[in-house]
Structures are given as C-alpha cells and as structure tokens.
Coordinates of all heavy atoms in Angstrom, one line a residue:
I108 N 0.8 -1.2 0.0 CA 0.0 0.0 0.0 C 0.9 1.3 0.0 O 0.6 2.2 -0.7 CB -1.0 0.0 1.2 CG1 -2.0 -1.1 1.1 CG2 -1.7 1.3 1.3 CD1 -2.9 -1.3 2.3
M109 N 1.9 1.3 0.8 CA 2.8 2.4 0.9 C 3.4 2.8 -0.4 O 3.4 3.9 -0.8 CB 3.9 2.2 1.9 CG 4.9 3.3 2.0 SD 6.5 2.9 2.8 CE 7.0 1.6 1.8
A110 N 3.9 1.8 -1.1 CA 4.5 2.0 -2.4 C 3.5 2.6 -3.4 O 3.8 3.5 -4.2 CB 5.1 0.7 -3.0
R111 N 2.3 2.1 -3.4 CA 1.3 2.7 -4.3 C 0.9 4.1 -4.0 O 0.8 4.9 -4.9 CB 0.0 1.8 -4.3 CG 0.2 0.5 -5.0 CD -1.1 -0.3 -5.0 NE -1.1 -1.1 -3.8 CZ -2.1 -1.8 -3.3 NH1 -3.2 -1.8 -3.9 NH2 -2.0 -2.5 -2.3
L112 N 0.9 4.4 -2.7 CA 0.6 5.8 -2.3 C 1.7 6.7 -2.7 O 1.5 7.9 -3.2 CB 0.4 5.9 -0.8 CG -0.9 5.3 -0.3 CD1 -0.9 5.3 1.2 CD2 -2.1 5.9 -0.8
I113 N 3.0 6.3 -2.6 CA 4.1 7.1 -3.0 C 4.1 7.3 -4.5 O 4.4 8.4 -5.0 CB 5.4 6.5 -2.5 CG1 5.5 6.6 -1.0 CG2 6.6 7.2 -3.1 CD1 6.6 5.9 -0.3
V114 N 3.9 6.3 -5.3 CA 3.8 6.4 -6.7 C 2.7 7.4 -7.1 O 2.9 8.2 -8.0 CB 3.5 5.0 -7.4 CG1 3.2 5.2 -8.9 CG2 4.8 4.2 -7.3
K115 N 1.6 7.4 -6.5 CA 0.5 8.3 -6.8 C 0.8 9.7 -6.4 O 0.6 10.6 -7.2 CB -0.8 7.8 -6.0 CG -2.0 8.6 -6.4 CD -3.2 8.0 -5.7 CE -4.5 8.7 -6.2 NZ -5.7 8.1 -5.6
E116 N 1.4 9.9 -5.2 CA 1.7 11.3 -4.8 C 3.0 11.9 -5.3 O 3.1 13.1 -5.4 CB 1.7 11.3 -3.2 CG 0.3 11.0 -2.6 CD -0.8 12.1 -2.9 OE1 -0.4 13.3 -3.0 OE2 -1.9 11.7 -3.2
Y117 N 4.0 11.0 -5.5 CA 5.3 11.4 -5.9 C 5.8 10.6 -7.1 O 6.6 9.7 -6.9 CB 6.3 11.3 -4.8 CG 5.8 12.0 -3.5 CD1 5.2 11.3 -2.5 CD2 6.0 13.4 -3.4 CE1 4.8 12.0 -1.3 CE2 5.6 14.1 -2.2 CZ 5.0 13.3 -1.2 OH 4.5 14.0 -0.1
P118 N 5.2 10.8 -8.3 CA 5.5 9.9 -9.4 C 7.0 9.9 -9.9 O 7.4 9.0 -10.6 CB 4.6 10.4 -10.5 CG 4.2 11.8 -10.1 CD 4.3 11.8 -8.6
V119 N 7.8 10.8 -9.4 CA 9.2 10.8 -9.8 C 10.0 9.9 -9.0 O 11.1 9.5 -9.4 CB 9.8 12.2 -9.8 CG1 9.1 13.2 -10.8 CG2 9.8 12.8 -8.4
V120 N 9.5 9.5 -7.8 CA 10.3 8.5 -7.0 C 10.2 7.2 -7.6 O 9.2 6.7 -7.9 CB 9.6 8.5 -5.5 CG1 10.3 7.5 -4.7 CG2 9.8 9.9 -4.9
R121 N 11.4 6.5 -7.7 CA 11.5 5.2 -8.3 C 12.0 4.2 -7.4 O 11.8 3.0 -7.6 CB 12.4 5.3 -9.6 CG 11.9 6.2 -10.6 CD 10.7 5.5 -11.3 NE 10.1 6.3 -12.3 CZ 8.9 6.8 -12.3 NH1 8.1 6.6 -11.2 NH2 8.4 7.5 -13.3
T122 N 12.7 4.5 -6.3 CA 13.3 3.6 -5.4 C 13.1 4.0 -3.9 O 13.2 5.2 -3.6 CB 14.8 3.5 -5.6 OG1 15.0 3.1 -7.0 CG2 15.4 2.4 -4.8
L123 N 12.7 3.0 -3.1 CA 12.6 3.3 -1.7 C 13.8 2.7 -1.0 O 14.3 1.7 -1.4 CB 11.3 2.6 -1.2 CG 10.0 3.1 -1.8 CD1 8.8 2.3 -1.2 CD2 9.8 4.6 -1.6
L124 N 14.2 3.3 0.1 CA 15.3 2.8 0.9 C 15.0 2.8 2.4 O 14.3 3.6 2.9 CB 16.4 3.9 0.7 CG 17.7 3.7 1.5 CD1 18.5 2.5 1.1 CD2 18.5 5.0 1.4
S125 N 15.4 1.7 3.0 CA 15.1 1.5 4.5 C 16.3 0.8 5.1 O 17.0 0.1 4.5 CB 13.8 0.8 4.7 OG 13.5 0.8 6.1
Y126 N 16.4 1.0 6.4 CA 17.5 0.4 7.2 C 16.9 -0.5 8.3 O 15.9 -0.1 8.9 CB 18.4 1.4 7.9 CG 19.2 2.2 6.9 CD1 18.8 3.4 6.3 CD2 20.5 1.8 6.5 CE1 19.5 4.1 5.4 CE2 21.3 2.5 5.6 CZ 20.8 3.6 5.0 OH 21.5 4.3 4.2
Q127 N 17.5 -1.6 8.5 CA 17.1 -2.6 9.5 C 18.3 -2.7 10.5 O 19.4 -3.0 10.2 CB 16.9 -4.0 8.8 CG 16.8 -5.1 9.8 CD 17.1 -6.4 9.2 OE1 17.0 -6.6 8.0 NE2 17.5 -7.4 10.0
D128 N 17.9 -2.6 11.8 CA 18.9 -2.8 12.9 C 19.0 -4.3 13.1 O 18.0 -4.9 13.5 CB 18.4 -2.1 14.2 CG 19.3 -2.3 15.4 OD1 20.1 -3.2 15.4 OD2 19.2 -1.4 16.3
M129 N 20.1 -4.9 12.8 CA 20.3 -6.3 12.9 C 20.3 -6.9 14.3 O 20.1 -8.1 14.5 CB 21.5 -6.8 12.1 CG 21.3 -6.5 10.6 SD 22.7 -6.8 9.5 CE 23.0 -8.5 9.9
E130 N 20.5 -6.1 15.3 CA 20.5 -6.6 16.7 C 19.0 -6.8 17.2 O 18.8 -7.6 18.1 CB 21.1 -5.6 17.6 CG 22.6 -5.6 17.6 CD 23.2 -4.6 18.6 OE1 22.5 -3.9 19.3 OE2 24.4 -4.6 18.8
V131 N 18.1 -6.2 16.5 CA 16.7 -6.3 17.0 C 15.7 -7.0 16.0 O 14.8 -7.6 16.4 CB 16.2 -4.8 17.3 CG1 14.8 -4.9 17.9 CG2 17.1 -4.1 18.2
H132 N 16.0 -6.8 14.7 CA 15.0 -7.3 13.7 C 15.6 -8.3 12.8 O 16.8 -8.3 12.6 CB 14.5 -6.1 12.9 CG 13.9 -5.0 13.7 ND1 12.6 -5.1 14.3 CD2 14.4 -3.8 14.1 CE1 12.4 -4.0 15.0 NE2 13.4 -3.2 14.9
T133 N 14.8 -9.1 12.2 CA 15.3 -10.2 11.3 C 15.1 -9.8 9.8 O 15.7 -10.4 9.0 CB 14.5 -11.5 11.5 OG1 13.1 -11.3 11.2 CG2 14.6 -12.0 12.9
G134 N 14.3 -8.9 9.5 CA 14.1 -8.5 8.1 C 13.0 -9.2 7.4 O 12.8 -9.0 6.2
C135 N 12.3 -10.1 8.0 CA 11.3 -10.9 7.4 C 10.2 -10.1 6.8 O 9.6 -10.5 5.7 CB 10.7 -12.0 8.3 SG 9.8 -11.4 9.7
I136 N 9.8 -9.0 7.3 CA 8.8 -8.1 6.8 C 9.2 -7.5 5.4 O 8.5 -7.4 4.5 CB 8.3 -7.0 7.8 CG1 7.6 -7.7 8.9 CG2 7.5 -6.0 7.1 CD1 7.2 -6.8 10.1
Y137 N 10.5 -7.1 5.4 CA 11.0 -6.5 4.1 C 11.0 -7.6 3.0 O 10.6 -7.4 1.9 CB 12.4 -6.0 4.3 CG 12.5 -4.8 5.1 CD1 13.1 -4.8 6.4 CD2 12.1 -3.5 4.6 CE1 13.1 -3.6 7.2 CE2 12.1 -2.4 5.4 CZ 12.7 -2.4 6.6 OH 12.7 -1.3 7.4
K138 N 11.5 -8.8 3.4 CA 11.5 -9.9 2.4 C 10.1 -10.2 1.9 O 9.8 -10.4 0.7 CB 12.1 -11.2 3.0 CG 13.5 -11.2 3.2 CD 14.0 -12.5 3.8 CE 15.4 -12.5 4.1 NZ 15.9 -13.7 4.7
A139 N 9.1 -10.3 2.8 CA 7.7 -10.6 2.5 C 7.1 -9.5 1.6 O 6.3 -9.8 0.7 CB 6.9 -10.8 3.7
A140 N 7.6 -8.3 1.7 CA 7.0 -7.2 1.0 C 7.8 -7.0 -0.4 O 7.5 -6.0 -1.1 CB 7.0 -5.9 1.8
G141 N 8.7 -7.8 -0.7 CA 9.4 -7.7 -2.0 C 10.6 -6.8 -2.0 O 11.1 -6.5 -3.1
W142 N 11.1 -6.4 -0.8 CA 12.4 -5.6 -0.8 C 13.6 -6.5 -1.0 O 13.5 -7.7 -0.8 CB 12.5 -4.9 0.6 CG 11.5 -3.9 0.8 CD1 10.1 -4.1 1.0 CD2 11.7 -2.5 1.0 NE1 9.5 -2.9 1.2 CE2 10.5 -1.9 1.3 CE3 12.8 -1.7 1.0 CZ2 10.3 -0.5 1.5 CZ3 12.7 -0.3 1.2 CH2 11.5 0.2 1.4
E143 N 14.7 -5.9 -1.4 CA 15.9 -6.6 -1.6 C 17.0 -6.0 -0.8 O 17.1 -4.8 -0.6 CB 16.4 -6.5 -3.1 CG 15.4 -7.2 -4.1 CD 15.9 -7.0 -5.5 OE1 17.1 -6.8 -5.7 OE2 15.0 -7.1 -6.4
V144 N 17.9 -6.9 -0.2 CA 19.0 -6.4 0.5 C 20.0 -5.8 -0.4 O 20.4 -6.4 -1.4 CB 19.7 -7.5 1.3 CG1 21.0 -7.0 2.0 CG2 18.8 -8.1 2.3
Y145 N 20.4 -4.5 -0.2 CA 21.3 -3.8 -1.0 C 22.7 -3.9 -0.5 O 23.7 -4.2 -1.2 CB 20.9 -2.3 -1.1 CG 21.8 -1.5 -1.9 CD1 21.8 -1.6 -3.3 CD2 22.7 -0.6 -1.4 CE1 22.6 -0.8 -4.1 CE2 23.5 0.2 -2.2 CZ 23.5 0.1 -3.5 OH 24.3 0.8 -4.3
E146 N 22.9 -3.8 0.9 CA 24.2 -4.0 1.5 C 24.0 -4.1 3.0 O 23.0 -3.8 3.5 CB 25.1 -2.8 1.2 CG 24.8 -1.5 1.8 CD 25.8 -0.4 1.4 OE1 26.9 -0.7 0.9 OE2 25.4 0.8 1.6
T147 N 25.1 -4.5 3.7 CA 25.1 -4.6 5.1 C 26.2 -3.7 5.6 O 27.3 -3.8 5.1 CB 25.3 -6.0 5.6 OG1 24.2 -6.8 5.1 CG2 25.3 -6.1 7.1
T148 N 25.9 -2.9 6.6 CA 27.0 -2.0 7.2 C 27.7 -2.8 8.3 O 27.1 -3.7 8.9 CB 26.4 -0.7 7.7 OG1 25.6 -1.0 8.8 CG2 25.7 0.0 6.6
E149 N 28.8 -2.4 8.7 CA 29.6 -3.0 9.8 C 29.1 -2.3 11.1 O 28.7 -1.1 11.1 CB 31.1 -2.8 9.6 CG 31.6 -3.6 8.4 CD 33.1 -3.4 8.3 OE1 33.7 -2.8 9.1 OE2 33.6 -3.9 7.3
K150 N 29.3 -3.0 12.2 CA 29.0 -2.4 13.5 C 30.0 -1.3 13.7 O 31.2 -1.4 13.5 CB 29.2 -3.5 14.6 CG 28.8 -3.0 15.9 CD 28.8 -4.1 17.0 CE 28.5 -3.4 18.3 NZ 27.7 -4.2 19.1
R151 N 29.5 -0.2 14.2 CA 30.3 1.0 14.5 C 30.8 0.9 15.9 O 30.2 0.6 16.8 CB 29.5 2.3 14.3 CG 28.9 2.4 12.9 CD 28.1 3.7 12.7 NE 28.8 4.9 12.9 CZ 29.5 5.5 11.9 NH1 29.5 5.0 10.7 NH2 30.2 6.6 12.1
S152 N 32.1 1.3 16.0 CA 32.7 1.3 17.3 C 32.4 2.6 18.1 O 32.5 2.7 19.3 CB 34.2 1.2 17.2 OG 34.7 2.3 16.4
R153 N 31.9 3.6 17.4 CA 31.5 4.8 18.0 C 30.2 5.3 17.3 O 30.0 5.0 16.2 CB 32.6 5.9 18.0 CG 33.0 6.2 16.5 CD 34.2 7.2 16.5 NE 34.7 7.4 15.2 CZ 34.1 8.1 14.3 NH1 32.9 8.6 14.4 NH2 34.6 8.2 13.1
P154 N 29.4 6.2 18.0 CA 28.2 6.7 17.4 C 28.5 7.6 16.2 O 29.6 8.2 16.1 CB 27.6 7.5 18.5 CG 28.2 7.1 19.8 CD 29.6 6.6 19.4
W155 N 27.6 7.7 15.3 CA 27.7 8.5 14.1 C 27.4 9.9 14.6 O 26.2 10.3 14.9 CB 26.8 8.0 13.1 CG 26.7 8.9 11.8 CD1 27.7 9.6 11.3 CD2 25.6 9.1 11.0 NE1 27.3 10.2 10.1 CE2 26.0 9.9 10.0 CE3 24.2 8.7 11.1 CZ2 25.1 10.3 9.0 CZ3 23.4 9.1 10.1 CH2 23.8 9.9 9.0
D156 N 28.3 10.8 14.7 CA 28.2 12.1 15.3 C 29.0 13.1 14.4 O 30.0 12.8 13.9 CB 28.8 12.2 16.7 CG 27.7 12.4 17.8 OD1 26.6 12.6 17.4 OD2 28.1 12.3 18.9
N157 N 28.4 14.3 14.3 CA 29.2 15.4 13.7 C 28.5 16.7 14.3 O 27.6 16.6 15.0 CB 29.2 15.4 12.2 CG 27.9 15.5 11.6 OD1 27.0 16.3 12.0 ND2 27.6 14.7 10.5
A158 N 29.1 17.8 14.0 CA 28.7 19.1 14.6 C 27.2 19.4 14.4 O 26.5 19.9 15.2 CB 29.5 20.2 14.1
S159 N 26.7 19.0 13.2 CA 25.3 19.3 12.9 C 24.3 18.2 13.3 O 23.1 18.3 13.2 CB 25.1 19.7 11.5 OG 25.4 18.5 10.7
R160 N 24.8 17.0 13.7 CA 24.0 15.9 13.9 C 24.5 15.1 15.2 O 25.2 14.1 15.0 CB 23.9 15.0 12.7 CG 23.0 13.8 12.8 CD 23.1 13.0 11.6 NE 21.7 13.0 11.1 CZ 21.4 12.6 9.9 NH1 22.3 12.3 9.0 NH2 20.2 12.6 9.5
V161 N 24.2 15.6 16.3 CA 24.6 15.0 17.6 C 23.6 13.8 17.9 O 22.4 14.0 18.0 CB 24.7 16.0 18.7 CG1 25.1 15.3 20.0 CG2 25.6 17.1 18.3
R162 N 24.2 12.7 18.2 CA 23.3 11.5 18.5 C 23.4 11.3 20.0 O 24.4 11.5 20.7 CB 23.9 10.2 17.8 CG 23.9 10.3 16.3 CD 22.5 10.3 15.8 NE 22.6 10.5 14.3 CZ 22.0 9.7 13.5 NH1 21.3 8.7 13.9 NH2 22.1 10.0 12.2
T163 N 22.3 10.7 20.5 CA 22.2 10.4 21.9 C 22.9 9.1 22.2 O 23.2 8.3 21.2 CB 20.8 10.3 22.4 OG1 20.2 9.2 21.7 CG2 20.0 11.5 22.1
T164 N 23.2 8.8 23.4 CA 23.9 7.5 23.8 C 23.0 6.3 23.5 O 23.4 5.2 23.4 CB 24.3 7.5 25.2 OG1 23.2 7.8 26.1 CG2 25.4 8.5 25.5
E165 N 21.6 6.5 23.4 CA 20.7 5.5 23.1 C 20.8 5.0 21.6 O 20.2 4.0 21.3 CB 19.3 5.9 23.4 CG 19.0 6.1 24.9 CD 19.4 7.4 25.4 OE1 19.4 8.4 24.6 OE2 19.7 7.6 26.6
Q166 N 21.4 5.8 20.8 CA 21.5 5.5 19.3 C 22.3 4.2 19.2 O 23.4 4.1 19.7 CB 22.1 6.6 18.6 CG 22.2 6.4 17.1 CD 20.9 6.3 16.4 OE1 19.9 6.9 16.8 NE2 20.8 5.4 15.4
T167 N 21.8 3.2 18.5 CA 22.5 2.0 18.3 C 23.7 2.1 17.4 O 23.7 2.9 16.4 CB 21.6 0.9 17.8 OG1 22.3 -0.3 17.7 CG2 21.0 1.2 16.5
T168 N 24.7 1.3 17.6 CA 25.9 1.3 16.7 C 25.9 -0.1 16.0 O 27.0 -0.5 15.5 CB 27.2 1.5 17.5 OG1 27.3 0.5 18.5 CG2 27.3 2.9 18.1
A169 N 24.8 -0.8 16.1 CA 24.7 -2.2 15.5 C 24.9 -2.2 14.0 O 24.7 -1.2 13.3 CB 23.4 -2.8 15.9
E170 N 25.2 -3.4 13.5 CA 25.2 -3.6 12.1 C 23.8 -3.3 11.5 O 22.8 -3.5 12.2 CB 25.5 -5.1 11.7 CG 26.9 -5.5 11.7 CD 27.1 -6.9 11.3 OE1 26.5 -7.8 11.9 OE2 27.8 -7.1 10.3
K171 N 23.7 -2.8 10.3 CA 22.4 -2.5 9.7 C 22.4 -3.1 8.3 O 23.4 -3.3 7.6 CB 22.3 -1.0 9.5 CG 22.5 -0.1 10.7 CD 21.2 0.1 11.4 CE 21.3 1.1 12.5 NZ 22.4 1.0 13.4
K172 N 21.2 -3.5 7.9 CA 21.0 -3.9 6.5 C 20.3 -2.8 5.8 O 19.3 -2.2 6.3 CB 20.1 -5.2 6.4 CG 20.9 -6.5 6.5 CD 20.0 -7.7 6.2 CE 20.8 -8.9 6.4 NZ 20.0 -10.1 6.3
R173 N 20.8 -2.5 4.6 CA 20.1 -1.5 3.8 C 19.2 -2.2 2.8 O 19.7 -3.0 2.0 CB 21.1 -0.6 3.1 CG 20.5 0.5 2.2 CD 21.5 1.3 1.6 NE 22.3 2.0 2.6 CZ 23.5 2.7 2.3 NH1 24.0 2.6 1.1 NH2 24.1 3.3 3.2
W174 N 17.9 -2.0 2.8 CA 17.0 -2.6 1.9 C 16.5 -1.6 0.9 O 16.3 -0.4 1.2 CB 15.8 -3.1 2.7 CG 16.0 -4.2 3.7 CD1 16.5 -4.1 4.9 CD2 15.8 -5.6 3.4 NE1 16.6 -5.3 5.5 CE2 16.2 -6.3 4.6 CE3 15.3 -6.3 2.4 CZ2 16.1 -7.6 4.7 CZ3 15.3 -7.7 2.5 CH2 15.6 -8.3 3.7
I175 N 16.3 -2.1 -0.4 CA 15.8 -1.2 -1.4 C 14.6 -1.9 -2.1 O 14.5 -3.1 -2.1 CB 16.8 -0.8 -2.5 CG1 17.4 -2.1 -3.2 CG2 17.9 0.0 -1.9 CD1 18.2 -1.7 -4.4
R176 N 13.7 -1.0 -2.6 CA 12.6 -1.6 -3.4 C 12.3 -0.6 -4.5 O 12.1 0.6 -4.4 CB 11.3 -1.6 -2.5 CG 10.2 -2.2 -3.3 CD 9.1 -2.8 -2.5 NE 8.1 -3.3 -3.4 CZ 6.8 -3.2 -3.2 NH1 6.4 -2.5 -2.1 NH2 5.9 -3.7 -4.0
N177 N 12.4 -1.2 -5.7 CA 12.1 -0.4 -6.9 C 10.6 -0.3 -7.1 O 9.9 -1.3 -7.1 CB 12.7 -1.2 -8.2 CG 12.5 -0.4 -9.4 OD1 11.7 0.5 -9.5 ND2 13.1 -0.8 -10.5
I178 N 10.1 0.9 -7.1 CA 8.7 1.1 -7.3 C 8.4 1.8 -8.7 O 7.2 2.1 -9.0 CB 8.0 1.9 -6.2 CG1 8.7 3.3 -6.1 CG2 8.1 1.2 -4.9 CD1 8.0 4.2 -5.1
G179 N 9.4 1.9 -9.5 CA 9.2 2.6 -10.8 C 8.4 1.8 -11.8 O 7.9 2.4 -12.7
L180 N 8.3 0.5 -11.6 CA 7.6 -0.3 -12.5 C 6.1 -0.7 -12.1 O 5.5 -1.4 -12.8 CB 8.4 -1.6 -12.8 CG 9.8 -1.4 -13.3 CD1 10.5 -2.7 -13.4 CD2 9.8 -0.7 -14.6
I181 N 5.7 0.0 -11.1 CA 4.3 -0.3 -10.6 C 3.4 0.4 -11.7 O 3.6 1.6 -12.0 CB 4.0 0.3 -9.2 CG1 4.8 -0.4 -8.2 CG2 2.5 0.3 -8.9 CD1 4.7 0.1 -6.8
S182 N 2.4 -0.3 -12.2 CA 1.5 0.3 -13.2 C 0.5 1.2 -12.6 O 0.2 1.1 -11.4 CB 0.8 -0.8 -14.0 OG -0.2 -1.5 -13.1
M183 N 0.0 2.1 -13.3 CA -1.0 3.0 -12.8 C -2.3 2.3 -12.5 O -3.1 2.7 -11.6 CB -1.3 4.1 -13.9 CG -0.2 5.1 -14.0 SD 0.3 5.8 -12.5 CE -1.1 6.8 -12.0
K184 N -2.5 1.1 -13.1 CA -3.7 0.3 -12.7 C -3.6 -0.1 -11.2 O -4.6 -0.2 -10.5 CB -3.7 -0.9 -13.6 CG -5.0 -1.8 -13.5 CD -4.9 -2.9 -14.5 CE -6.2 -3.6 -14.6 NZ -6.2 -4.7 -15.6
Q185 N -2.4 -0.4 -10.7 CA -2.2 -0.8 -9.3 C -2.4 0.4 -8.4 O -2.7 0.3 -7.2 CB -0.8 -1.4 -9.1 CG -0.6 -2.7 -9.8 CD 0.8 -3.2 -9.6 OE1 1.7 -2.5 -10.1 NE2 1.0 -4.3 -9.0
V186 N -2.1 1.6 -8.9 CA -2.2 2.8 -8.1 C -3.7 3.2 -7.7 O -4.0 3.6 -6.6 CB -1.5 4.0 -8.8 CG1 -1.7 5.3 -8.0 CG2 0.0 3.7 -8.9
R187 N -4.6 3.0 -8.7 CA -6.0 3.4 -8.5 C -6.7 2.6 -7.5 O -6.6 1.6 -7.0 CB -6.7 3.3 -9.8 CG -6.2 4.3 -10.7 CD -6.9 4.4 -12.0 NE -6.2 5.2 -13.0 CZ -5.8 4.8 -14.1 NH1 -6.0 3.6 -14.6 NH2 -5.1 5.6 -14.9

C-alpha cells in the first residue's frame, strides 16, 4: 500500500530505501514485501556524530541492512 501511495503522490520517486537494525530485527517483513538487501553495514565502534547531527547515547551502533525496493515499474492500474 505504501509504495502505491508514494507512486500516486510522488511519481518521480523510483526507489525506496530503508535500514534494518540487525540486533533487533530479522528483516522478514522486508522480504515478504518484496524488498531486496542492498548492502550490510559494519558495526560502528562509536556513534555517528558530527557538529550538525549529535546522537544520543541510546542510538545503536549495531550492524544495519540497507533494503531497497524499486517502485518505478508499478503500473497506474495498481495505483488506483
């Protein structure tokens, strides 16, 4: 449903991107919804911080899977 709504409201968007925290989730929902694993990041030894983006200590440094889903080929028939 989400992909159809995005195609309808933002027709120039062709790819969706999402991240999965591997310490907490298995990714089965992404697989079931037709997403593909794009890459896996390594566990970070320190938080991702910079001057304009300060992270709290609760922010995970776990490995992440980056999932993508191509929505550019959804037909307008599916959008309606």
Side-chain angles (χ1 to χ4, degrees):
I108 294 173
M109 174 196 59
R111 284 184 273 169
L112 291 173
I113 290 172
V114 167
K115 187 174 183 178
E116 296 294 321
Y117 306 98
V119 296
V120 174
R121 295 291 179 243
T122 304
L123 302 177
L124 173 70
S125 187
Y126 290 88
Q127 166 203 338
D128 181 338
M129 293 175 59
E130 283 184 352
V131 183
H132 304 284
T133 64
C135 64
I136 291 175
Y137 290 110
K138 284 182 189 178
W142 291 66
E143 297 178 24
V144 175
Y145 181 72
E146 69 180 347
T147 301
T148 66
E149 294 181 6
K150 183 174 178 141
R151 299 179 66 86
S152 59
R153 58 183 174 72
W155 176 34
D156 248 354
N157 62 42
S159 65
R160 184 179 239 163
V161 178
R162 302 290 177 128
T163 65
T164 55
E165 291 86 26
Q166 180 67 33
T167 181
T168 57
E170 280 184 299
K171 308 269 187 314
K172 273 191 185 171
R173 182 180 294 167
W174 293 83
I175 61 170
R176 178 154 184 227
N177 181 349
I178 60 171
L180 301 176
I181 295 176
S182 71
M183 288 309 291
K184 190 176 191 179
Q185 290 175 300
V186 172
R187 292 186 193 123

